[in-house]
Amino acid sequence: MPLVFPLIDKSSTHWGVRMISILIVNVPEFALEFCHQITPLLDKSLNDNDHILIRGCALHTYGVMAFSSLSEWKKIAVSSMDAIERVNGRVPGQMLVTEEAVVAAMIIIYYCDEKMVGVGRINEILSRFLSWFPFTGESRECNTIYRFLLDVIESGHFSTSVEPNLNSPRLLFILTKVITSLEIPK
């Protein structure tokens, strides 16, 4: 990794963030040694309002962390939820970023247990992201969002089954709207 970071600094931040994601997937233990360098780069990238692609890559990388088998990466992903929640939703020209934020949040919700995230916190996060629905379109992210949402509901995941669950009416509205509009690709 010491060789990788100078290369990342010399290249665009987009490729640097993609490289981090690849390292976390393929050599998570090795990449973890450099989390003190990785986390600030991701935070900076997530707040880069000038480059949508860089923000999307940072969001994707947080999702990759949640999917990791290492609890340390999962904890970093969970700690990123506040920053992910601040990503602008439904801003013209920013739909890709919004979709990536929802995907990252859903992956964190799905792959990190309630002890790590906290049931009350999950309800807050889910409520925030459900306010951005429904999504329509042809994008890969849109399909991924609905696939994860259905997986979370179908599996009886704690985020949709705990009481009180104030998100149930919103979930029903979203699914009904999507099914009746037929705008989501099959």
Side-chain angles (χ1 to χ4, degrees):
M1 193 87 126
L3 294 176
V4 173
F5 271 99
L7 292 174
I8 290 170
D9 290 338
K10 301 272 187 242
S11 67
S12 72
T13 307
H14 167 255
W15 288 109
V17 175
R18 293 296 298 154
M19 178 63 79
I20 289 169
S21 181
I22 291 166
L23 290 170
I24 292 170
V25 168
N26 294 297
V27 284
E29 295 88 359
F30 178 70
L32 191 59
E33 294 176 32
F34 302 93
C35 69
H36 64 281
Q37 292 172 291
I38 291 172
T39 306
L41 178 63
L42 290 178
D43 291 342
K44 178 182 173 199
S45 300
L46 193 59
N47 293 310
D48 188 340
N49 292 322
D50 296 328
H51 300 94
I52 295 169
L53 195 55
I54 292 171
R55 292 175 77 197
C57 286
L59 290 161
H60 172 79
T61 303
Y62 283 124
V64 166
M65 288 177 180
F67 189 71
S68 172
S69 60
L70 296 180
S71 64
E72 293 89 343
W73 283 125
K74 290 180 184 290
K75 288 176 184 171
I76 293 170
V78 168
S79 70
S80 74
M81 288 304 295
D82 288 331
I84 292 172
E85 282 185 284
R86 285 190 294 273
V87 171
N88 292 331
R90 299 288 190 178
V91 175
Q94 300 273 328
M95 185 52 95
L96 175 67
V97 174
T98 301
E99 290 173 350
E100 286 285 353
V102 172
V103 170
M106 294 300 288
I107 291 171
I108 292 167
I109 290 168
Y110 196 74
Y111 288 104
C112 298
D113 65 25
E114 65 266 25
K115 292 176 192 156
M116 198 173 280
V117 183
V119 174
R121 181 83 172 113
I122 287 290
N123 279 331
E124 289 174 34
I125 293 164
L126 196 57
S127 178
R128 170 72 186 258
F129 288 107
L130 289 178
S131 72
W132 293 354
F133 280 79
F135 288 94
T136 57
E138 300 290 328
S139 73
R140 173 184 54 90
E141 288 80 12
C142 187
N143 289 326
T144 302
I145 289 167
Y146 283 105
R147 195 172 315 118
F148 266 120
L149 187 59
L150 292 173
D151 283 349
V152 167
I153 295 167
E154 185 178 46
S155 70
H157 189 270
F158 73 92
S159 64
T160 59
S161 61
V162 296
E163 293 298 329
N165 189 343
L166 305 175
N167 295 313
S168 296
R170 182 72 183 154
L171 285 168
L172 182 61
F173 169 78
I174 291 165
L175 295 175
T176 304
K177 177 103 173 143
V178 170
I179 291 167
T180 58
S181 72
L182 299 176
E183 292 181 283
I184 300 299
K186 296 180 181 172

